[in-house]
Amino acid sequence: MFKQMGFCFNADDCIGCSACEIACKNENQTPSGINWRTVKKVSPELFLSVSCNHCDNPECFRVCPHRAFTKRRDGIVEINQNLCDGCQLCVAACPYHAPKFDPESHKVSKCQMCYPRQDTGHLPACVEACTTNALKLVNLGEFNNPNIVRSLPGFPDISITSPSIVFFGQKTRKRYFLSQGRLKT
Ligand code: SF4
């Protein structure tokens, strides 16, 4: 069975608290203005927490002239900043805007799925910090659930790179309103 570590995001459970984004920043000490993970409000009731998706067919890997990207045996797409010359071809090619260019260092960086943490038996910082368990780490090689979907409204086109993320979509929510002092649906 192949191994492909990926994210599983439950849109119903995300409350937009940005704990994942802050945990990522603290763990990786990224420069000011460079966030490897971001929480976005894509509609009045839908937040997405997005980072590099460690794609099956990573465009960053394909376009990099310096072979700075590697795909590990567990599916994590890693960038070696020592090989990066700041050409930004990966920045333009990634459909998810995951690679971030730092004008100070003239290098690109991105989410590495906390592989140093995973290699020592720990969860990625974002997953560990998620207050509602909306963001999970899964091995997509064996993860199977009939309710998962490959994309959600507001998520970029998945057809080019096959990102290693799956979603639980939003269920229709009951809406209440006050009528003559009583809650009604
Ligand atoms: Fe590369 Fe972008 Fe896919 Fe990450 S999300 S593996 S940077 S193409």
Side-chain angles (χ1 to χ4, degrees), residues 55 57-65 69 87-99 156-157 160-161:
C55 305
N57 302 306
E59 275 292 280
C60 53
F61 179 98
R62 189 181 69 77
V63 300
C64 179
F69 293 85
C87 73
Q88 299 180 65
L89 286 176
C90 58
V91 175
C94 172
Y96 316 100
H97 311 292
D157 181 8
I160 301 169
T161 70

Side-chain angles (χ1 to χ4, degrees), residues 7-151:
F7 295 110
C8 177
F9 180 75
N10 189 328
D12 256 345
D13 287 345
C14 179
I15 56 170
C17 70
S18 294
C20 54
E21 185 176 323
I22 295 162
C24 175
K25 188 126 188 103
N26 283 336
E27 176 73 19
N28 298 296
Q29 297 289 298
T30 55
S32 171
I34 293 182
N35 293 348
W36 290 351
R37 176 169 289 281
T38 50
V39 176
K40 297 177 183 170
K41 190 169 192 172
V42 294
S43 76
E45 294 179 358
L46 176 60
F47 294 97
L48 290 180
S49 171
V50 288
S51 70
C52 170
N53 294 301
H54 304 273
C55 305
D56 247 4
N57 302 306
E59 275 292 280
C60 53
F61 179 98
R62 189 181 69 77
V63 300
C64 179
H66 305 291
R67 299 187 178 273
F69 293 85
T70 47
K71 190 156 174 74
R72 296 179 11 145
R73 290 172 70 87
D74 56 8
I76 295 175
V77 174
E78 183 187 352
I79 181 170
N80 179 347
Q81 280 198 297
N82 294 328
L83 298 176
C84 175
D85 76 347
C87 73
Q88 299 180 65
L89 286 176
C90 58
V91 175
C94 172
Y96 316 100
H97 311 292
K100 307 291 182 194
F101 178 67
D102 181 358
E104 295 261 315
S105 64
H106 208 77
K107 302 263 184 197
V108 167
S109 65
K110 68 166 196 72
C111 158
Q112 309 266 50
M113 215 187 241
C114 286
Y115 71 79
R117 287 175 60 99
Q118 290 201 53
D119 289 348
T120 53
H122 296 96
L123 288 170
C126 55
V127 172
E128 192 172 88
C130 180
T131 51
T132 61
N133 281 332
L135 187 65
K136 293 202 170 88
L137 179 74
V138 291
N139 174 5
L140 293 171
E142 55 190 30
F143 183 70
N144 202 4
N145 185 306
N147 297 319
I148 56 170
V149 291
R150 290 300 317 272
S151 189

